[in-house]
Amino acid sequence: MRYRIFLAGAAGAIGNRMIPILRDAGHAVVGTTRSAAKAETLRSLGIEPVLVDVFDAERLLRAMESARPDVVIHQLTDLPQKLDPRLMGEAIVGNARIRDERTRNLGADANALRVRRLVAQSLAWAYAPGPEPHAESDPLDAGAQGARGTTVRGVIALEDWVLKSPPLEGIVLRYGQFYGPGSHADKPSNFVPVHVDAAAYAAVLAIERGQPGPYNIAQSNVHVATDKARTELGWSADFRISDKPARE
Ligand SMILES: NC(=O)c1ccc[n+]([C@@H]2O[C@H](COP(=O)([O-])OP(=O)(O)OC[C@H]3O[C@@H](n4cnc5c(N)ncnc54)[C@H](OP(=O)(O)O)[C@@H]3O)[C@@H](O)[C@H]2O)c1
């Protein structure tokens, strides 16, 4: 099945890696960026760029309206590229805001435009303390304090907007810590790592095969269970884009 896809955050760490996989699967993609230069790059990669700041609600709605998507993919985050500790305080607040307010907007617009499915980026390390590995049914850490509290509350808000906005079919991908091209790390972390290509692949599988609900997306590890994604989506943490070249 081929879909019309609105990819919010097309030039980010995961959005960018999704483009060849989506193109190869034959989907028609409209992707957002705020930068004219990145828009040209998106066009050269074979998707239709749209210049929009997601805090401009009217423009976002118009962009989605003209894209007429079947599926919206939300890969928006607002973090500094190098995760510089001096910039992280402010970034954590801005990122929680984008997760809460902008996800609410995307969900409402998607329902208004009768979009069938919304797939959004979440985190695999927001679980409340408890026995590990955490399954998707485990509670999130709603009582966390300080910076973690800000992040987890943003994640809970995002997941609520995605999963509890019927009739939209919502899927959240609880990603581990990224490494690989365009991310802040070359090598896997020793917590819950996931390569950006495998993370992007999970989002494409979620469009095609996912059931509404959350999926942990990380390499095998002792903290977070990943069997649901493997079994239901047929996902593999070993997927790399060079394994599956884009069609001409
Ligand atoms: N799970 C993880 O480990 C994780 C998760 C997320 C990010 N990170 C790390 O954080 C760093 C930055 O990642 P990134 O490049 O993906 O994130 P990013 O640059 O913060 O944002 C991702 C996408 O969100 C878009 N965006 C942000 N604010 C927007 C707004 N107001 N309106 C429209 N679009 C907006 C950006 O669009 P523009 O093209 O307009 O800039 C970009 O395409 C990387 O090192 C990454 O590895 C890690």
Side-chain angles (χ1 to χ4, degrees):
M1 183 88 183
R2 296 178 175 193
Y3 296 111
R4 294 182 61 82
I5 292 172
F6 187 83
L7 175 53
I14 302 305
N16 193 263
R17 303 304 283 179
M18 290 188 71
I19 293 171
I21 317 175
L22 288 167
R23 241 186 23 195
D24 189 48
H27 301 303
V29 184
V30 174
T32 74
T33 178
R34 293 160 296 178
S35 141
K38 287 186 196 171
E40 280 320 303
T41 307
L42 294 178
R43 195 184 301 284
S44 73
L45 293 173
I47 70 165
E48 190 186 327
V50 58
L51 275 173
V52 62
D53 185 319
V54 296
F55 284 99
D56 183 338
E58 255 191 66
R59 201 178 165 110
L60 176 65
L61 178 61
R62 280 204 305 276
M64 282 175 65
E65 224 164 17
S66 80
R68 292 182 294 109
D70 307 298
V71 177
V72 172
I73 302 174
H74 170 355
Q75 296 287 2
L76 301 162
T77 55
D78 193 9
L79 292 168
Q81 194 54 35
K82 295 278 180 216
L83 303 185
D84 180 339
R86 287 166 306 175
L87 302 175
M88 282 310 281
E90 206 178 314
I92 281 169
V93 173
N95 207 27
R97 187 169 162 232
I98 218 168
R99 284 189 172 125
D100 184 348
E101 289 177 26
R102 293 308 102 188
T103 310
R104 179 181 57 201
N105 248 74
L106 278 177
D109 291 353
N111 268 333
L113 299 171
R114 301 186 183 195
V115 171
R116 189 167 69 80
R117 175 162 285 203
L118 172 61
V119 177
Q121 175 179 150
S122 183
L123 291 182
W125 62 92
Y127 288 104
E132 295 183 340
H134 288 294
E136 285 85 348
S137 51
D138 283 2
L140 299 183
D141 194 6
Q145 301 295 310
R148 175 171 169 80
T150 305
T151 296
V152 176
R153 279 189 292 282
V155 162
I156 291 172
L158 174 144
E159 294 203 357
D160 279 350
W161 292 122
V162 175
L163 299 177
K164 299 176 187 167
S165 297
L168 197 57
E169 297 173 0
I171 295 179
V172 291
L173 300 175
R174 293 179 177 163
Y175 286 137
Q177 293 163 330
F178 296 155
Y179 70 97
S183 76
H184 57 284
D186 297 334
K187 297 194 175 77
S189 74
N190 51 17
F191 185 53
V192 285
V194 65
H195 191 278
V196 287
D197 289 2
Y201 183 47
V204 179
L205 293 173
I207 297 168
E208 296 166 349
R209 305 184 196 165
Q211 292 301 313
Y215 288 89
N216 292 330
I217 304 293
Q219 289 175 203
S220 288
N221 69 90
V222 296
H223 304 290
V224 165
T226 56
D227 43 317
K228 184 181 174 194
R230 290 172 212 281
T231 312
E232 289 189 16
L233 301 179
W235 181 72
S236 165
D238 297 330
F239 177 89
R240 298 292 180 270
I241 285 174
S242 55
D243 295 339
K244 201 167 181 271
R247 255 189 233 129
E248 288 303 310

